[in-house]
Amino acid sequence: MNITRENIDELNAVVKVEISKEDYSPKVEKILKDYRKSANIPGFRKGHVPMGLVKKQYGQAVLVDEVNKLLQENLNKYLTEEKLDVLGNPLPKEQADFDWDKDDYSFEFELGLSPKFEVDLKTKEPITHYQIVADDEMIDNQVKTIQKQYGKLVSKEEAAEGDLVAGTFKNEEEGIENTTTFPLDKLKGKRNLNKFVGAKVGDTITLKTKSLFEDDHDLIEFLKVEHDKAHGLDVEVTFEITEINQQEPAELNQELFDKLFGEGNVTSVEELKEKIKEDAENQFKQQSDQQLLNDVTEALIEKTKFDLPAEFLQRWIMVSGEKQLTAEEAKEEYEKSEKGLRFQLIEGKLIQENELQVQLEEIKDLTKDRIKMQMAQFGQMDPSEKDLEDITARVLSNQDEVKKLSEQVMSQKVLEFYKENVNLEQKEVTYENFVKEVYN
């Protein structure tokens, strides 16, 4: 067997694989002999079928299969030994005069080569690294939300702003009849609210569905009308009040603190607010870090210029999926994925050159942290080390899960690498201002 390469340019090459009879013949002969021993052909005893008949019936199929195995095995070995960094997979070149009846074969494959480039992390303008803080207003609102969530309902005879009302919406012609409960805060406009304020259990109120709620989608939930019907629905409905409740906020006491954070972990309103601030800013950190990754990615793609073997990649996309694409579809798919491919190459180079590696212990630590968080949601604040080890072992027995966790660990390593090496500018903002700057 002989393998040679011709470099067309820096991004494209053709590999030629020549296979002679001596390369495949011993294996083909052995397989055919085994076939002869077990073949069931009418008119012949098992094991006594003439070899000529076996070759005629199975010979070419076995030959093609063995040559293809040799071809793939040796081509992959060649790419590894030559340390060729290829994009996509080798594409076989069409050979109009190819003949399986010959003894020796020659195959050609097109290669798309990975470009050579350098990555400079020092951008001209610094990249903003947001430090999102929870301000007093946000913390106070969260305290009110907790009090409301853990509060109790007190039955009333007369409705006031902020109450919950239960009753039945009706409109016979439209087939609307639904018993529901909704907060008066959901109503749109003072006119609708005033119809309820002062109303009593047993009263029937007439309403227009148009602009009844702040969001038309609430008509789907409270009137049980179909989605398409809810938008622009303009009919008259009645609502008979069967129950009125006021939501009394929970007291900020030790019982509530223990219910929220475990016994004795929070003992005062000040500690509650500190805990809310800490939890909120931990969540904000994830958003801030993700935004930093996005911004560094964009900056590196913009700054790091190199060519790709675009024509090769488009031909590869045409044939690499479950369904063959047209040239136009493949071009469109390539244009969609080009940016991601460029960053994949940039990130891969940074990982390799800076020896960023994922260790098994790091995957285990991440898995344990995730398990602790999940258990805490169900009130198990202090699981034993044995329980953690057992659950971790079960999770890591799933190879797909290990791959996913490994990617997350590497993503965190890349993020920390950026924080240490990229030209960053720290900026402290509230969450509200972060959203305005990033998403508006």
Side-chain angles (χ1 to χ4, degrees):
M1 180 177 299
N2 186 39
I3 302 180
T4 56
R5 182 177 81 248
E6 178 189 357
N7 290 331
I8 307 302
D9 55 38
E10 290 186 353
L11 298 173
N12 296 275
V14 173
V15 168
K16 187 174 184 180
V17 183
E18 294 174 317
I19 298 178
S20 66
K21 188 174 182 178
E22 291 75 23
D23 296 319
Y24 62 81
S25 184
K27 185 72 173 174
V28 170
E29 289 297 326
K30 182 180 182 306
I31 292 172
L32 290 175
K33 282 178 183 176
D34 291 340
Y35 274 16
R36 187 186 180 208
K37 292 176 187 175
S38 58
N40 286 312
I41 297 178
F44 298 95
R45 284 185 299 142
K46 190 173 181 181
H48 289 79
V49 181
M51 181 55 85
L53 189 57
V54 172
K55 285 185 176 180
K56 185 177 180 181
Q57 189 157 347
Y58 302 108
Q60 188 168 81
V62 173
L63 168 69
V64 171
D65 189 45
E66 287 307 310
V67 168
N68 278 326
K69 284 180 185 174
L70 270 173
L71 190 59
Q72 291 304 320
E73 181 184 328
N74 286 278
L75 180 58
N76 291 335
K77 184 180 176 184
Y78 173 81
L79 296 178
T80 303
E81 288 177 349
E82 293 293 310
K83 297 180 180 176
L84 289 177
D85 194 359
V86 298
L87 302 178
N89 291 317
L91 284 179
K93 291 184 75 173
E94 287 188 20
Q95 294 172 272
D97 59 347
F98 188 85
D99 185 0
W100 281 108
D101 290 331
K102 292 181 179 179
D103 289 337
D104 300 332
Y105 309 108
S106 177
F107 302 90
E108 290 187 341
F109 293 87
E110 295 178 79
L111 303 181
L113 304 177
S114 186
K116 302 287 189 290
F117 59 90
E118 297 299 325
V119 182
D120 182 4
L121 292 169
K122 299 302 181 186
T123 54
K124 187 176 179 181
E125 297 294 328
I127 295 172
T128 301
H129 184 202
Y130 293 97
Q131 307 296 315
I132 309 172
V133 296
D135 59 5
D136 291 342
E137 183 181 357
M138 172 177 279
I139 295 168
D140 289 341
N141 286 336
Q142 185 61 30
V143 170
K144 288 175 185 174
T145 300
I146 289 170
Q147 287 183 278
K148 188 175 180 181
Q149 183 180 349
Y150 288 89
K152 62 182 180 181
L153 295 178
V154 179
S155 181
K156 297 175 63 180
E157 283 299 315
E158 187 174 300
E161 287 188 40
D163 287 347
L164 288 165
V165 293
T168 304
F169 281 107
K170 286 185 182 179
N171 179 305
E172 288 186 20
E173 289 181 10
E174 295 293 330
I176 296 171
E177 183 170 351
N178 187 55
T179 300
T180 188
T181 301
F182 68 92
L184 293 182
D185 294 345
K186 287 273 187 181
L187 293 169
K188 185 175 182 179
K190 280 285 185 184
R191 185 176 178 181
N192 287 321
L193 179 62
N194 289 338
K195 288 185 178 183
F196 282 89
V197 172
K200 298 179 180 178
V201 172
D203 288 354
T204 298
I205 298 170
T206 302
L207 303 153
K208 286 276 192 181
T209 57
K210 186 177 183 181
S211 299
L212 177 57
F213 295 109
E214 290 288 349
D215 187 344
D216 279 349
H217 287 94
D218 287 334
L219 294 173
I220 301 170
E221 180 182 352
F222 299 131
L223 273 68
K224 286 293 182 281
V225 297
E226 294 177 359
H227 182 275
D228 292 342
K229 193 174 181 180
H231 289 282
L233 182 66
D234 187 7
V235 297
E236 197 171 79
V237 292
T238 60
F239 184 81
E240 183 181 355
I241 301 174
T242 57
E243 191 178 345
I244 302 168
N245 288 296
Q246 178 183 9
Q247 195 156 31
E248 197 172 273
E251 287 186 41
L252 296 175
N253 55 24
Q254 194 59 48
E255 183 184 353
L256 178 61
F257 302 154
D258 290 346
K259 191 181 292 184
L260 290 169
F261 303 107
E263 190 173 343
N265 290 317
V266 170
T267 58
S268 67
V269 174
E270 289 71 26
E271 287 182 15
L272 169 67
K273 289 185 176 183
E274 277 300 316
K275 184 65 176 167
I276 291 171
K277 180 179 174 67
E278 179 187 337
D279 290 347
E281 290 181 354
N282 280 337
Q283 290 183 27
F284 294 156
K285 184 177 182 297
Q286 293 176 18
Q287 287 180 269
S288 170
D289 284 348
Q290 186 57 56
Q291 188 58 41
L292 178 62
L293 273 174
N294 295 345
D295 291 342
V296 173
T297 297
E298 289 294 329
L300 289 179
I301 291 173
E302 179 64 29
K303 185 178 183 186
T304 311
K305 304 295 184 184
F306 53 82
D307 292 326
L308 290 169
E311 290 182 10
F312 168 85
L313 288 170
Q314 287 173 45
R315 289 198 302 277
W316 175 68
I317 289 170
M318 281 178 67
V319 298
S320 62
E322 292 181 10
K323 177 182 99 168
Q324 182 154 333
L325 304 180
T326 65
E328 291 74 18
E329 288 171 334
K331 183 179 180 183
E332 184 180 341
E333 199 63 33
Y334 171 74
E335 287 171 351
K336 282 186 202 170
S337 59
E338 182 186 359
K339 199 172 183 180
L341 174 58
R342 286 181 177 279
F343 185 67
Q344 208 173 14
L345 291 170
I346 293 168
E347 187 179 59
K349 188 176 181 69
L350 289 172
I351 289 170
Q352 183 182 25
E353 289 183 348
N354 295 281
E355 299 180 345
L356 303 180
Q357 296 179 345
V358 175
Q359 306 297 330
L360 178 59
E361 283 304 312
E362 294 171 320
I363 298 175
K364 286 180 70 174
D365 289 344
L366 176 61
T367 306
K368 285 184 181 180
D369 288 343
R370 298 281 170 84
I371 293 166
K372 285 180 186 176
M373 287 170 60
Q374 289 173 359
M375 294 178 83
Q377 290 173 359
F378 295 96
Q380 296 177 319
M381 308 302 291
D382 191 23
S384 71
E385 189 60 30
K386 184 179 184 306
D387 286 342
L388 285 174
E389 286 287 349
D390 289 347
I391 299 170
T392 299
R394 287 201 296 274
V395 171
L396 298 185
S397 67
N398 183 326
Q399 289 304 307
D400 290 338
E401 198 63 32
V402 172
K403 183 182 176 186
K404 194 188 304 179
L405 289 161
S406 177
E407 288 170 353
Q408 290 169 2
V409 172
M410 180 55 77
S411 180
Q412 189 61 37
K413 282 179 175 284
V414 170
L415 174 67
E416 295 305 321
F417 176 77
Y418 288 158
K419 287 180 180 179
E420 292 172 10
N421 295 279
V422 173
N423 183 17
L424 300 181
E425 179 181 64
Q426 306 292 328
K427 184 173 184 180
E428 189 175 287
V429 291
T430 63
Y431 183 71
E432 185 180 357
N433 288 335
F434 170 76
V435 171
K436 285 178 183 175
E437 286 194 30
V438 171
Y439 300 111
N440 292 345

